[in-house]
Amino acid sequence: QVRLVESGGGLVQAGGSLRLSCAASGVMFSIKAMGWYRQAPGNQRELVATIISGGSTNYADSVKGRFTISRDGAANTVYLQMNFLKPEDTAVYYCQTVAGPFAYWGQGTQVTVSS
C-alpha cells in the first residue's frame, strides 16, 4: 500500500520560511515525478512545484524565486523549501507522487502565513 507522509507545515509570519517534506513508501513502480500542490479555502487545488526523475523542475509563477523543490531519490522523499512567505501562500499543501500509471496524494499539511 502506497503511503505519502507529509510534515513541516505550521504557522509562520510573513517573510518567514518553512520546509515541507513528503516521504513515499510502498511504491511498486518507478517514480516519474513528485510535486507539491496547494488548496486555499474556496479555491481549486493548484500546482506549486514539481520535479521529475531527471531532476527538471517546474514552478508556479507565484512562487518562483521564493520556493525550491528538491528530491532525495534514494529515500523517495521530496522537499519544498519556502522562503519569503506571504499571507497568500496560506493553504493546505499536498504532496503528489506519480509512479507508473498512477498518481498518489498525501493527506495534506496546513501552512498558515500571518501578516
PDB file of all heavy atoms in Angstrom, residues 14-42:
ATOM      1  N   ALA A  14       4.678  36.508   7.958  1.00  0.00           N
ATOM      2  CA  ALA A  14       5.064  36.903   6.606  1.00  0.00           C
ATOM      3  C   ALA A  14       6.559  37.218   6.567  1.00  0.00           C
ATOM      4  O   ALA A  14       7.096  37.833   7.488  1.00  0.00           O
ATOM      5  CB  ALA A  14       4.260  38.108   6.166  1.00  0.00           C
ATOM      6  N   GLY A  15       7.204  36.743   5.501  1.00  0.00           N
ATOM      7  CA  GLY A  15       8.643  36.913   5.370  1.00  0.00           C
ATOM      8  C   GLY A  15       9.439  35.743   5.914  1.00  0.00           C
ATOM      9  O   GLY A  15      10.655  35.667   5.687  1.00  0.00           O
ATOM     10  N   GLY A  16       8.770  34.859   6.623  1.00  0.00           N
ATOM     11  CA  GLY A  16       9.444  33.716   7.217  1.00  0.00           C
ATOM     12  C   GLY A  16       9.596  32.556   6.249  1.00  0.00           C
ATOM     13  O   GLY A  16       9.271  32.655   5.065  1.00  0.00           O
ATOM     14  N   SER A  17      10.090  31.451   6.791  1.00  0.00           N
ATOM     15  CA  SER A  17      10.370  30.262   5.986  1.00  0.00           C
ATOM     16  C   SER A  17       9.810  29.010   6.634  1.00  0.00           C
ATOM     17  O   SER A  17       9.673  28.936   7.858  1.00  0.00           O
ATOM     18  CB  SER A  17      11.887  30.083   5.827  1.00  0.00           C
ATOM     19  OG  SER A  17      12.470  31.182   5.158  1.00  0.00           O
ATOM     20  N   LEU A  18       9.484  28.051   5.793  1.00  0.00           N
ATOM     21  CA  LEU A  18       9.106  26.713   6.221  1.00  0.00           C
ATOM     22  C   LEU A  18       9.672  25.713   5.227  1.00  0.00           C
ATOM     23  O   LEU A  18       9.882  26.048   4.055  1.00  0.00           O
ATOM     24  CB  LEU A  18       7.589  26.551   6.274  1.00  0.00           C
ATOM     25  CG  LEU A  18       6.819  27.181   7.427  1.00  0.00           C
ATOM     26  CD1 LEU A  18       5.317  27.028   7.195  1.00  0.00           C
ATOM     27  CD2 LEU A  18       7.214  26.571   8.761  1.00  0.00           C
ATOM     28  N   ARG A  19       9.889  24.494   5.702  1.00  0.00           N
ATOM     29  CA  ARG A  19      10.342  23.425   4.821  1.00  0.00           C
ATOM     30  C   ARG A  19       9.397  22.246   4.954  1.00  0.00           C
ATOM     31  O   ARG A  19       9.241  21.704   6.052  1.00  0.00           O
ATOM     32  CB  ARG A  19      11.762  22.990   5.156  1.00  0.00           C
ATOM     33  CG  ARG A  19      12.367  22.030   4.142  1.00  0.00           C
ATOM     34  CD  ARG A  19      13.683  21.496   4.627  1.00  0.00           C
ATOM     35  NE  ARG A  19      14.427  20.817   3.568  1.00  0.00           N
ATOM     36  CZ  ARG A  19      15.204  19.763   3.766  1.00  0.00           C
ATOM     37  NH1 ARG A  19      15.346  19.277   4.982  1.00  0.00           N
ATOM     38  NH2 ARG A  19      15.865  19.227   2.743  1.00  0.00           N
ATOM     39  N   LEU A  20       8.766  21.877   3.857  1.00  0.00           N
ATOM     40  CA  LEU A  20       7.876  20.726   3.830  1.00  0.00           C
ATOM     41  C   LEU A  20       8.633  19.498   3.354  1.00  0.00           C
ATOM     42  O   LEU A  20       9.516  19.598   2.501  1.00  0.00           O
ATOM     43  CB  LEU A  20       6.684  20.986   2.912  1.00  0.00           C
ATOM     44  CG  LEU A  20       5.850  22.233   3.163  1.00  0.00           C
ATOM     45  CD1 LEU A  20       4.666  22.279   2.199  1.00  0.00           C
ATOM     46  CD2 LEU A  20       5.359  22.280   4.597  1.00  0.00           C
ATOM     47  N   SER A  21       8.257  18.357   3.908  1.00  0.00           N
ATOM     48  CA  SER A  21       8.830  17.086   3.491  1.00  0.00           C
ATOM     49  C   SER A  21       7.703  16.116   3.174  1.00  0.00           C
ATOM     50  O   SER A  21       6.630  16.176   3.780  1.00  0.00           O
ATOM     51  CB  SER A  21       9.702  16.488   4.598  1.00  0.00           C
ATOM     52  OG  SER A  21      10.767  17.333   4.933  1.00  0.00           O
ATOM     53  N   CYS A  22       7.967  15.203   2.246  1.00  0.00           N
ATOM     54  CA  CYS A  22       6.998  14.169   1.899  1.00  0.00           C
ATOM     55  C   CYS A  22       7.760  12.896   1.581  1.00  0.00           C
ATOM     56  O   CYS A  22       8.562  12.880   0.642  1.00  0.00           O
ATOM     57  CB  CYS A  22       6.145  14.595   0.721  1.00  0.00           C
ATOM     58  SG  CYS A  22       5.068  13.298   0.072  1.00  0.00           S
ATOM     59  N   ALA A  23       7.524  11.866   2.360  1.00  0.00           N
ATOM     60  CA  ALA A  23       8.193  10.589   2.166  1.00  0.00           C
ATOM     61  C   ALA A  23       7.196   9.578   1.617  1.00  0.00           C
ATOM     62  O   ALA A  23       6.136   9.376   2.196  1.00  0.00           O
ATOM     63  CB  ALA A  23       8.773  10.098   3.477  1.00  0.00           C
ATOM     64  N   ALA A  24       7.553   8.963   0.499  1.00  0.00           N
ATOM     65  CA  ALA A  24       6.701   7.964  -0.147  1.00  0.00           C
ATOM     66  C   ALA A  24       7.213   6.571   0.189  1.00  0.00           C
ATOM     67  O   ALA A  24       8.410   6.309   0.134  1.00  0.00           O
ATOM     68  CB  ALA A  24       6.683   8.166  -1.657  1.00  0.00           C
ATOM     69  N   SER A  25       6.284   5.676   0.524  1.00  0.00           N
ATOM     70  CA  SER A  25       6.648   4.295   0.791  1.00  0.00           C
ATOM     71  C   SER A  25       5.639   3.372   0.136  1.00  0.00           C
ATOM     72  O   SER A  25       4.506   3.775  -0.157  1.00  0.00           O
ATOM     73  CB  SER A  25       6.704   4.028   2.300  1.00  0.00           C
ATOM     74  OG  SER A  25       5.444   4.241   2.892  1.00  0.00           O
ATOM     75  N   GLY A  26       6.063   2.137  -0.104  1.00  0.00           N
ATOM     76  CA  GLY A  26       5.165   1.163  -0.699  1.00  0.00           C
ATOM     77  C   GLY A  26       4.939   1.336  -2.190  1.00  0.00           C
ATOM     78  O   GLY A  26       4.032   0.732  -2.749  1.00  0.00           O
ATOM     79  N   VAL A  27       5.765   2.152  -2.843  1.00  0.00           N
ATOM     80  CA  VAL A  27       5.589   2.405  -4.271  1.00  0.00           C
ATOM     81  C   VAL A  27       6.212   1.265  -5.056  1.00  0.00           C
ATOM     82  O   VAL A  27       7.393   0.974  -4.902  1.00  0.00           O
ATOM     83  CB  VAL A  27       6.234   3.746  -4.670  1.00  0.00           C
ATOM     84  CG1 VAL A  27       6.050   3.994  -6.159  1.00  0.00           C
ATOM     85  CG2 VAL A  27       5.632   4.888  -3.858  1.00  0.00           C
ATOM     86  N   MET A  28       5.421   0.629  -5.912  1.00  0.00           N
ATOM     87  CA  MET A  28       5.882  -0.543  -6.637  1.00  0.00           C
ATOM     88  C   MET A  28       6.510  -0.196  -7.975  1.00  0.00           C
ATOM     89  O   MET A  28       7.323  -0.944  -8.493  1.00  0.00           O
ATOM     90  CB  MET A  28       4.712  -1.507  -6.860  1.00  0.00           C
ATOM     91  CG  MET A  28       4.062  -1.981  -5.561  1.00  0.00           C
ATOM     92  SD  MET A  28       5.228  -2.870  -4.515  1.00  0.00           S
ATOM     93  CE  MET A  28       5.492  -4.331  -5.499  1.00  0.00           C
ATOM     94  N   PHE A  29       6.135   0.938  -8.558  1.00  0.00           N
ATOM     95  CA  PHE A  29       6.661   1.343  -9.855  1.00  0.00           C
ATOM     96  C   PHE A  29       7.733   2.418  -9.663  1.00  0.00           C
ATOM     97  O   PHE A  29       7.821   3.042  -8.610  1.00  0.00           O
ATOM     98  CB  PHE A  29       5.538   1.901 -10.733  1.00  0.00           C
ATOM     99  CG  PHE A  29       4.475   0.910 -11.099  1.00  0.00           C
ATOM    100  CD1 PHE A  29       3.315   0.800 -10.344  1.00  0.00           C
ATOM    101  CD2 PHE A  29       4.629   0.074 -12.196  1.00  0.00           C
ATOM    102  CE1 PHE A  29       2.332  -0.109 -10.674  1.00  0.00           C
ATOM    103  CE2 PHE A  29       3.652  -0.835 -12.536  1.00  0.00           C
ATOM    104  CZ  PHE A  29       2.510  -0.935 -11.774  1.00  0.00           C
ATOM    105  N   SER A  30       8.507   2.635 -10.705  1.00  0.00           N
ATOM    106  CA  SER A  30       9.495   3.724 -10.659  1.00  0.00           C
ATOM    107  C   SER A  30       8.776   5.066 -10.576  1.00  0.00           C
ATOM    108  O   SER A  30       7.788   5.289 -11.286  1.00  0.00           O
ATOM    109  CB  SER A  30      10.379   3.692 -11.904  1.00  0.00           C
ATOM    110  OG  SER A  30      11.163   2.532 -11.937  1.00  0.00           O
ATOM    111  N   ILE A  31       9.292   5.924  -9.725  1.00  0.00           N
ATOM    112  CA  ILE A  31       8.685   7.249  -9.565  1.00  0.00           C
ATOM    113  C   ILE A  31       9.105   8.137 -10.723  1.00  0.00           C
ATOM    114  O   ILE A  31      10.298   8.334 -10.965  1.00  0.00           O
ATOM    115  CB  ILE A  31       9.083   7.871  -8.227  1.00  0.00           C
ATOM    116  CG1 ILE A  31       8.428   7.083  -7.087  1.00  0.00           C
ATOM    117  CG2 ILE A  31       8.662   9.330  -8.172  1.00  0.00           C
ATOM    118  CD1 ILE A  31       8.781   7.588  -5.704  1.00  0.00           C
ATOM    119  N   LYS A  32       8.112   8.675 -11.423  1.00  0.00           N
ATOM    120  CA  LYS A  32       8.380   9.549 -12.564  1.00  0.00           C
ATOM    121  C   LYS A  32       8.506  11.002 -12.132  1.00  0.00           C
ATOM    122  O   LYS A  32       9.281  11.760 -12.702  1.00  0.00           O
ATOM    123  CB  LYS A  32       7.245   9.431 -13.581  1.00  0.00           C
ATOM    124  CG  LYS A  32       7.090   8.069 -14.215  1.00  0.00           C
ATOM    125  CD  LYS A  32       5.910   8.080 -15.189  1.00  0.00           C
ATOM    126  CE  LYS A  32       5.723   6.742 -15.867  1.00  0.00           C
ATOM    127  NZ  LYS A  32       4.549   6.745 -16.772  1.00  0.00           N
ATOM    128  N   ALA A  33       7.699  11.373 -11.159  1.00  0.00           N
ATOM    129  CA  ALA A  33       7.686  12.769 -10.736  1.00  0.00           C
ATOM    130  C   ALA A  33       7.130  12.855  -9.328  1.00  0.00           C
ATOM    131  O   ALA A  33       6.349  11.999  -8.894  1.00  0.00           O
ATOM    132  CB  ALA A  33       6.838  13.619 -11.673  1.00  0.00           C
ATOM    133  N   MET A  34       7.547  13.898  -8.635  1.00  0.00           N
ATOM    134  CA  MET A  34       6.976  14.236  -7.327  1.00  0.00           C
ATOM    135  C   MET A  34       6.714  15.732  -7.324  1.00  0.00           C
ATOM    136  O   MET A  34       7.391  16.490  -8.021  1.00  0.00           O
ATOM    137  CB  MET A  34       7.917  13.852  -6.183  1.00  0.00           C
ATOM    138  CG  MET A  34       8.252  12.371  -6.151  1.00  0.00           C
ATOM    139  SD  MET A  34       9.246  11.887  -4.726  1.00  0.00           S
ATOM    140  CE  MET A  34       7.970  11.767  -3.451  1.00  0.00           C
ATOM    141  N   GLY A  35       5.731  16.127  -6.549  1.00  0.00           N
ATOM    142  CA  GLY A  35       5.410  17.543  -6.570  1.00  0.00           C
ATOM    143  C   GLY A  35       4.561  17.975  -5.397  1.00  0.00           C
ATOM    144  O   GLY A  35       4.154  17.162  -4.563  1.00  0.00           O
ATOM    145  N   TRP A  36       4.336  19.258  -5.365  1.00  0.00           N
ATOM    146  CA  TRP A  36       3.514  19.876  -4.328  1.00  0.00           C
ATOM    147  C   TRP A  36       2.404  20.691  -4.980  1.00  0.00           C
ATOM    148  O   TRP A  36       2.645  21.411  -5.961  1.00  0.00           O
ATOM    149  CB  TRP A  36       4.357  20.788  -3.438  1.00  0.00           C
ATOM    150  CG  TRP A  36       5.335  20.052  -2.596  1.00  0.00           C
ATOM    151  CD1 TRP A  36       6.634  19.782  -2.882  1.00  0.00           C
ATOM    152  CD2 TRP A  36       5.066  19.470  -1.316  1.00  0.00           C
ATOM    153  NE1 TRP A  36       7.206  19.065  -1.858  1.00  0.00           N
ATOM    154  CE2 TRP A  36       6.263  18.862  -0.881  1.00  0.00           C
ATOM    155  CE3 TRP A  36       3.958  19.406  -0.478  1.00  0.00           C
ATOM    156  CZ2 TRP A  36       6.372  18.197   0.332  1.00  0.00           C
ATOM    157  CZ3 TRP A  36       4.054  18.751   0.734  1.00  0.00           C
ATOM    158  CH2 TRP A  36       5.259  18.154   1.133  1.00  0.00           C
ATOM    159  N   TYR A  37       1.220  20.561  -4.427  1.00  0.00           N
ATOM    160  CA  TYR A  37       0.065  21.340  -4.826  1.00  0.00           C
ATOM    161  C   TYR A  37      -0.491  21.985  -3.567  1.00  0.00           C
ATOM    162  O   TYR A  37      -0.172  21.568  -2.456  1.00  0.00           O
ATOM    163  CB  TYR A  37      -0.995  20.445  -5.472  1.00  0.00           C
ATOM    164  CG  TYR A  37      -0.587  19.885  -6.816  1.00  0.00           C
ATOM    165  CD1 TYR A  37       0.389  18.891  -6.907  1.00  0.00           C
ATOM    166  CD2 TYR A  37      -1.170  20.337  -7.991  1.00  0.00           C
ATOM    167  CE1 TYR A  37       0.777  18.381  -8.136  1.00  0.00           C
ATOM    168  CE2 TYR A  37      -0.794  19.827  -9.227  1.00  0.00           C
ATOM    169  CZ  TYR A  37       0.175  18.862  -9.288  1.00  0.00           C
ATOM    170  OH  TYR A  37       0.559  18.352 -10.512  1.00  0.00           O
ATOM    171  N   ARG A  38      -1.334  22.987  -3.741  1.00  0.00           N
ATOM    172  CA  ARG A  38      -1.957  23.626  -2.584  1.00  0.00           C
ATOM    173  C   ARG A  38      -3.395  24.006  -2.891  1.00  0.00           C
ATOM    174  O   ARG A  38      -3.756  24.216  -4.045  1.00  0.00           O
ATOM    175  CB  ARG A  38      -1.162  24.849  -2.126  1.00  0.00           C
ATOM    176  CG  ARG A  38      -1.171  26.018  -3.113  1.00  0.00           C
ATOM    177  CD  ARG A  38      -0.227  27.106  -2.627  1.00  0.00           C
ATOM    178  NE  ARG A  38      -0.213  28.267  -3.526  1.00  0.00           N
ATOM    179  CZ  ARG A  38       0.621  29.282  -3.408  1.00  0.00           C
ATOM    180  NH1 ARG A  38       1.520  29.313  -2.438  1.00  0.00           N
ATOM    181  NH2 ARG A  38       0.559  30.283  -4.270  1.00  0.00           N
ATOM    182  N   GLN A  39      -4.169  24.096  -1.824  1.00  0.00           N
ATOM    183  CA  GLN A  39      -5.574  24.474  -1.959  1.00  0.00           C
ATOM    184  C   GLN A  39      -5.956  25.385  -0.810  1.00  0.00           C
ATOM    185  O   GLN A  39      -5.899  24.977   0.355  1.00  0.00           O
ATOM    186  CB  GLN A  39      -6.474  23.235  -1.980  1.00  0.00           C
ATOM    187  CG  GLN A  39      -7.918  23.549  -2.301  1.00  0.00           C
ATOM    188  CD  GLN A  39      -8.715  22.297  -2.605  1.00  0.00           C
ATOM    189  OE1 GLN A  39      -8.308  21.179  -2.295  1.00  0.00           O
ATOM    190  NE2 GLN A  39      -9.858  22.468  -3.243  1.00  0.00           N
ATOM    191  N   ALA A  40      -6.315  26.597  -1.161  1.00  0.00           N
ATOM    192  CA  ALA A  40      -6.798  27.557  -0.180  1.00  0.00           C
ATOM    193  C   ALA A  40      -8.315  27.464  -0.110  1.00  0.00           C
ATOM    194  O   ALA A  40      -8.966  27.025  -1.068  1.00  0.00           O
ATOM    195  CB  ALA A  40      -6.358  28.963  -0.571  1.00  0.00           C
ATOM    196  N   PRO A  41      -8.919  27.874   1.001  1.00  0.00           N
ATOM    197  CA  PRO A  41     -10.381  27.802   1.133  1.00  0.00           C
ATOM    198  C   PRO A  41     -11.073  28.529  -0.018  1.00  0.00           C
ATOM    199  O   PRO A  41     -10.738  29.661  -0.341  1.00  0.00           O
ATOM    200  CB  PRO A  41     -10.640  28.494   2.472  1.00  0.00           C
ATOM    201  CG  PRO A  41      -9.391  28.295   3.238  1.00  0.00           C
ATOM    202  CD  PRO A  41      -8.278  28.349   2.233  1.00  0.00           C
ATOM    203  N   GLY A  42     -12.030  27.840  -0.632  1.00  0.00           N
ATOM    204  CA  GLY A  42     -12.789  28.429  -1.715  1.00  0.00           C
ATOM    205  C   GLY A  42     -12.108  28.395  -3.063  1.00  0.00           C
ATOM    206  O   GLY A  42     -12.694  28.830  -4.059  1.00  0.00           O
TER     207      GLY A  42
END
